[in-house]
Amino acid sequence: MMNFMKVVEAAKVAGASRIIGVARDDDKLRRAVEFGLTDCLNIQKFAKPIEQVICELVDGGVDYSFDCTGDPGIIYSALECCNMAGGMSVILGLVEATQRVSFHPGALLWGRSWTSGLFGGYKARSELPKLVERCMKGDINLDHYITHKMPFSKINEAFDLLNEGKCIRCVLDYEN
């Protein structure tokens, strides 16, 4: 869930006028609206493939799509919802080593592209200080990522909340 929220906020900071979020969980979508999401699509509420829904919604495809799941089917859908003449799909989710993404090379012939982004594409030495400055100026709000605070003794409960999608980030405090 964390990458999903970061992508929404980054798109907003970058000046995107329309940010479409796709998830299976209405709570995740509602929470993402607070980060800048403009359109919420629950994948379970559509009979046709979500990439077709998105292409119809924006008349031809999006300029950028982001996969935060690492699911090969969703990675493929993210590419397919991009504009054929120059849309870019960014893979952020970690894919299991045994899984592969299958696609027809024709999906890339007219100008679509795939890329990935580790650490948001930031170069730690040269660009991280600028990111910190933007956070300090209030352009980027990190506080709303912290949804829970717990004593360190509840670390297992914190992981359960993360795994169940009920938490974005939990701050653990050492007990005295």
Side-chain angles (χ1 to χ4, degrees), residues 19 32 56 58 62 69 79 86 90-91 95-96 113 128 164-167 169-170:
I19 306 168
E56 290 170 5
V58 297
V62 297
T69 67
L79 177 67
V90 182
I91 301 169
V95 181
E96 288 184 28
S113 62
L128 190 57
E164 294 167 6
K166 296 179 180 175
C167 176
R169 283 294 179 258
C170 180

Side-chain angles (χ1 to χ4, degrees), residues 22-79:
V22 179
R24 290 182 169 91
D25 182 353
D26 284 331
D27 288 334
K28 180 189 272 190
L29 291 168
R30 273 192 292 279
R31 188 177 285 172
V33 169
E34 299 169 19
F35 289 74
L37 193 65
T38 60
D39 296 78
C40 300
L41 302 177
N42 184 323
I43 198 167
Q44 296 177 328
K45 296 181 181 178
F46 297 96
K48 53 187 160 186
I50 198 65
E51 58 269 26
Q52 186 178 345
V53 172
I54 293 170
C55 286
E56 290 170 5
L57 185 66
V58 297
D59 194 27
V62 297
D63 294 328
Y64 297 93
S65 70
F66 300 85
D67 162 69
C68 300
T69 67
D71 178 296
I74 295 173
I75 292 170
Y76 174 77
S77 292
L79 177 67

Side-chain angles (χ1 to χ4, degrees), residues 127-147:
E127 295 178 336
L128 190 57
K130 294 174 192 163
L131 181 62
V132 170
E133 280 180 34
R134 293 190 76 184
C135 292
M136 298 299 285
K137 284 181 13 185
D139 293 342
I140 301 170
N141 178 5
L142 298 178
D143 293 337
H144 60 197
Y145 290 109
I146 301 170
T147 55

Side-chain angles (χ1 to χ4, degrees), residues 105 110 154-155:
W110 294 101
K154 294 190 176 188
I155 189 169

Side-chain angles (χ1 to χ4, degrees), residues 2-16 19 35-36 66 92 120 122 131 134 139-140 144-145:
M2 178 68 154
N3 277 343
F4 181 70
M5 301 303 179
K6 287 191 285 187
V7 165
V8 170
E9 186 167 38
K12 179 181 169 189
V13 169
I19 306 168
F35 289 74
F66 300 85
L92 299 170
Y122 281 95
L131 181 62
R134 293 190 76 184
D139 293 342
I140 301 170
H144 60 197
Y145 290 109

